Amino acid sequence: MPDLDSGHLFLTYLIPIKRGGPRNDVSFKQKVRIELARLPPAHQTPATQKTAYAAPFARNLRNHFARMFVLDNVVYNGRNRQNALVATVKKVNTITPEPVDGLRSAYLVFTADIDAIVKDGDPLPSELSADAQRRVRMAYAQTLWETMGEEIKAIFGNCHGFDGTDSGQAFGAYLERCHVETTMPYHDYYLNLPAFNDLPLKGLIVAVGVPAVIGVGALLLRLFGMSFLLGMNTLVLGLLGVALTCLAFVLAVRFAIANGAKPLPPAAHDDLPTVLKALYIQQRFTDFIAEHQGAAPATLHAAFGDFLAQHAPADITHPTQRPGVISDRAPQPRAGV
Amino acid sequence: MSNVAGKAYAMNVVTPSRPYVTWINRLLFMAARGLPSNLMGLLGLSLIHFARWVIIKRDQWPDLGQGKEDPQNDYMLFCSNFNGTWDQYIDAFSDGIPNGLNLFWYSATKYPLSIPITPFKDYITYNQIGTDYYYNATPGSAQRDVKSALRVYDAVLALAKEYEPSGPSAERFAQSFRDTYLKVQNDLGDPGFGPVASLDTERADVNRLAYIAAAQARFNTERSS
C-alpha cells in the first residue's frame, strides 16, 4: 500500500465536478475555482500576513502539505509516432485523426501529505494494514470537517454525489469513493537514511535466468537434432524450461512490486508537531548562541538551564511554532480562525 | 491560482501513458524503492519535501453518478512540493537524475526523454496543471531548512540530556555545548520569506485580502450559528 510511507499518508483524491451550472450562474467548475480562491493561504508573504485568518488546513496539526486543483480535462500530446514503413504496410490513413481522450467531467484533484495518525499525539506508524489506513483517512476527513466544514461544503457542494453530506463520517465515506492509491511516494526528512527494503536483484535474475538458459538451450539442442540429453527429452525439457521461466518471471515481478510497496520507516522527528517544534528550537537556539558567545562556563550553564525551562525542547506541544506561518516571530493569524 | 506557498512550489503534471506498459512503470517505481542506489540521486537533490507519482488506470476514475470514464490511456499524476524555481527544479532533475526520470516516465506517451532539456521542459509545460489552492505548513523553510532545524533539534535534545542543573558540571557542560555548536553551526538560522514570484503575484495577494475576509466572515458566522 504505497499510500503509506515514512509514517505519512500520501492522499490522492479525484472528485468529479458537476457538469454545467446553476441557472443564471457560472459553471460548477468555475464555482469550485472561486471557492478555492477565497480560501486564506498560509501567512507566507508580507501581503498574506496582513490578514487575520489562518489557512483552514492550518487548523489541524496533521497536514504538511495540501493542494487542490481543477483538472479540466486530460492532456493530448499529439499523434503517436509510428514507423512510416509499418504504417504503409498496415495501410494506415494518416489523415484520419487518432482517438483523443476526453473526460466526462472536470475533476477536483485533492492531495495531502499528512501524518498517518488517528488522533493527535499518536506516534507515526511504520506499517499500517489497509483497514488501519482507511481509519486514518476517515479520522483525517473528520478533522477536516470539524475544522473547515463550511469551506468544505462551499467547495465540494459543486461536486457529484456530495449533496446530503452532513457529517465528518459522511464526508470521509464520500472521500473514500474518490480515493486513488498513490503508486510511488517520496519524502525525505531523514537525518540518517533508513533501512531500505533491499530487492535481491541477483537472486531474482538467477531464478528467472537459470530455467531460461536450460529451456532455450534444450530447444536449441532439439533444433540441431539432439532428441535426448542425459536421458531427458530435449523438447519436453525445453518447454518445461520456458514454462518455468514464465512462472519465475511473473513471481519475480510480483515479488519486486510487493517489496517496493513496503513502507519505509518514519524519520526520527518526522511528524508535523515535532517539525514545528524543531523550527522553533532552531530559531531560539540560534539566538541563544548569539547571545552567549564567549560566556563563562558558569554563566552558560545557568543560561542554558533558563533556556530549557523557557522553551521545553522535549515538549512538542508548547511553546512551539504554529503551522502555516513563516516563523514564530512573524505576524500570526488570529487565534481560532 | 498559485503554485507557490512560501518557499515551496507545487508542480502537478498529468501525462497520458500507454496502458499495456504501465505495469512496467509500476515495476520500475517499486524496483527503485528496493534498489536504493537508484533513489540516491533523488535523495541527493535535497529540494523535495514530499512528492508522489500516481498511476491512474483507465478503470480507476471515480464514478459518483457522472458516468464512467472511458479513456484510451492510463494517466500518471505527478505532484511535487519542491524548493526553488520551476526552471531550477527541471534543470536539477535533468542534470542530476536524467535516466531515473526516463525510467519514471517510461510509459508516458510522447515523453521526449530528459536530455536534451528544451523538449523536456516543453513537455512538462504542456502537461502541467496550475494549482488552485496550495497549503504549506512550514512556508518559511525550504526542505534543507527543515532538515537543518531537525539536526539542531536533535542536538539540543542530546545537550539537554547532558545538562545537570546542579553539581560541578558547568565546565563539562560548556565543553558539550561547544561540541554541539560546532556540530550544528551550519544549521543555525531563521526561517524567512520565499522569493516573490512577481509583482503581479504580490499585488494579487493584496487584492484578494478583502475577498478572503468576506468569505471567512461568512463562514465564521455559519460556524457559530
Side-chain angles (χ1 to χ4, degrees):
Chain A
M1 293 290 285
D3 262 13
L4 176 74
D5 198 45
S6 63
H8 302 93
L9 277 193
F10 292 66
L11 298 177
T12 309
Y13 298 105
L14 302 176
I15 302 124
I17 300 171
K18 291 177 187 169
R19 287 191 288 273
R23 200 181 168 118
N24 300 324
D25 203 349
V26 297
S27 67
F28 290 113
K29 186 168 73 176
Q30 186 61 18
K31 285 165 83 72
V32 169
R33 286 202 162 106
I34 289 171
E35 294 301 339
L36 292 176
R38 282 177 173 158
L39 289 186
H43 274 213
Q44 58 202 16
T45 60
T48 54
Q49 285 183 340
K50 290 177 182 158
T51 181
Y53 298 101
F57 286 99
R59 295 175 197 152
N60 73 71
L61 277 170
R62 297 190 196 170
N63 276 303
H64 292 259
F65 289 88
R67 75 181 72 182
M68 294 190 190
F69 64 91
V70 174
L71 179 66
D72 287 296
N73 209 333
V74 289
V75 176
Y76 175 60
N77 283 318
R79 181 184 282 272
N80 289 320
R81 295 185 193 94
Q82 58 183 336
N83 186 297
L85 277 175
V86 173
T88 304
V89 171
K90 288 169 71 178
K91 293 189 169 45
V92 174
N93 183 353
T94 47
I95 300 294
T96 308
E98 277 184 337
V100 177
D101 283 344
L103 297 176
R104 288 171 177 270
S105 308
Y107 283 78
L108 171 63
V109 181
F110 171 32
T111 72
D113 306 296
I114 67 163
D115 292 341
I117 55 174
V118 171
K119 66 176 194 302
D120 289 348
D122 283 353
L124 295 184
S126 294
E127 289 186 23
L128 284 177
S129 66
D131 197 43
Q133 289 190 35
R134 186 178 169 281
R135 282 199 293 277
V136 171
R137 293 197 296 271
M138 292 297 283
Y140 177 63
Q142 182 72 40
T143 302
L144 290 186
W145 187 264
E146 287 164 4
T147 53
M148 53 183 288
E150 277 61 37
E151 287 88 345
I152 287 169
K153 284 179 234 169
I155 298 164
F156 286 73
N158 301 295
C159 298
H160 273 287
F162 183 79
D163 296 340
T165 304
D166 56 0
S167 68
Q169 194 72 15
F171 180 54
Y174 176 75
L175 282 181
E176 283 299 294
R177 297 175 67 193
C178 306
H179 174 240
V180 179
E181 187 181 277
T182 292
T183 310
M184 166 79 177
Y186 174 82
H187 170 58
D188 172 27
Y189 285 173
Y190 287 110
L191 299 184
N192 299 298
L193 285 177
F196 291 97
N197 301 309
D198 287 328
L199 185 68
L201 189 60
K202 284 181 184 165
L204 293 177
I205 289 171
V206 168
V208 177
V210 168
V213 168
I214 292 173
V216 171
L219 289 176
L220 281 174
L221 290 176
R222 180 75 175 201
L223 204 62
F224 287 112
M226 185 185 282
S227 300
F228 291 92
L229 176 69
L230 301 173
M232 284 184 284
N233 186 311
T234 47
L235 180 61
V236 173
L237 185 62
L239 293 176
L240 194 62
V242 170
L244 275 176
T245 304
C246 293
L247 181 66
F249 178 74
V250 170
L251 291 176
V253 166
R254 295 180 73 162
F255 178 83
I257 289 177
N259 180 71
K262 287 182 203 161
L264 295 176
H269 311 295
D270 215 356
D271 58 297
L272 182 60
T274 309
V275 168
L276 293 169
K277 181 74 183 195
L279 289 169
Y280 173 84
I281 289 293
Q282 181 195 38
Q283 295 159 59
R284 294 295 184 264
F285 194 60
T286 300
D287 293 344
F288 181 87
I289 286 176
E291 287 162 11
H292 296 89
Q293 293 269 6
T299 311
L300 188 66
H301 182 260
F304 192 73
D306 294 342
F307 176 89
L308 293 180
Q310 192 179 347
H311 303 300
D315 182 357
I316 59 171
T317 60
H318 183 78
T320 187
Q321 181 173 309
R322 288 181 66 176
V325 297
I326 290 290
S327 70
D328 186 50
R329 292 202 181 92
Q332 306 286 306
R334 213 167 65 208
V337 291
Chain B
M1 184 206 74
S2 177
N3 288 325
V4 180
K7 290 183 178 176
Y9 185 105
M11 174 176 276
N12 317 301
V13 181
V14 181
T15 41
S17 297
R18 291 162 288 173
Y20 55 91
V21 284
T22 42
W23 73 271
I24 298 178
N25 225 138
R26 185 182 300 273
L27 175 63
L28 291 170
F29 282 133
M30 295 301 104
R33 285 170 59 82
L35 302 168
S37 58
N38 291 283
L39 272 183
M40 286 308 166
L42 201 57
L43 289 161
L45 294 179
S46 290
L47 43 76
I48 303 171
H49 297 263
F50 290 82
R52 75 189 61 199
W53 288 259
V54 185
I55 295 174
I56 308 167
K57 301 288 288 179
R58 285 175 293 178
D59 60 357
Q60 282 186 315
W61 292 89
D63 178 5
L64 274 73
Q66 85 279 17
K68 191 75 187 156
E69 302 291 352
D70 186 26
Q72 302 276 319
N73 292 293
D74 292 342
Y75 285 87
M76 187 157 73
L77 167 66
F78 170 63
C79 294
S80 180
N81 303 280
F82 65 87
N83 302 127
T85 66
W86 186 93
D87 264 309
Q88 287 169 338
Y89 185 57
I90 308 288
D91 287 343
F93 256 137
S94 178
D95 288 349
I97 51 167
N99 199 49
L101 276 195
N102 295 343
L103 291 173
F104 281 0
W105 268 273
Y106 177 80
S107 62
T109 305
K110 299 198 77 174
Y111 175 75
L113 302 181
S114 54
I115 294 176
I117 199 166
T118 301
F120 178 55
K121 285 188 174 178
D122 288 346
Y123 187 79
I124 299 296
T125 302
Y126 193 67
N127 288 270
Q128 186 175 349
I129 314 290
T131 309
D132 288 292
Y133 182 76
Y134 186 29
Y135 168 71
N136 174 1
T138 55
S141 307
Q143 190 261 7
R144 292 178 196 215
D145 298 330
V146 171
K147 285 183 79 164
S148 284
L150 296 179
R151 276 192 287 269
V152 172
Y153 183 57
D154 205 49
V156 169
L157 286 179
L159 189 61
K161 275 188 183 166
E162 289 190 28
Y163 175 80
E164 294 168 9
S166 58
S169 58
E171 196 63 53
R172 196 174 65 230
F173 174 78
Q175 184 57 48
S176 298
F177 180 84
R178 283 193 291 273
D179 292 344
T180 301
Y181 180 17
L182 278 174
K183 192 173 154 192
V184 300
Q185 60 182 330
N186 289 330
D187 295 318
L188 300 172
D190 269 336
F193 293 122
V196 174
S198 69
L199 290 177
D200 282 350
T201 308
E202 194 173 18
R203 289 307 308 164
D205 264 356
V206 173
N207 293 335
R208 283 180 60 233
L209 290 179
Y211 192 56
I212 288 168
Q216 285 299 305
R218 177 165 58 84
F219 290 143
N220 282 342
T221 307
E222 289 172 11
R223 262 190 276 274
S224 56
S225 63

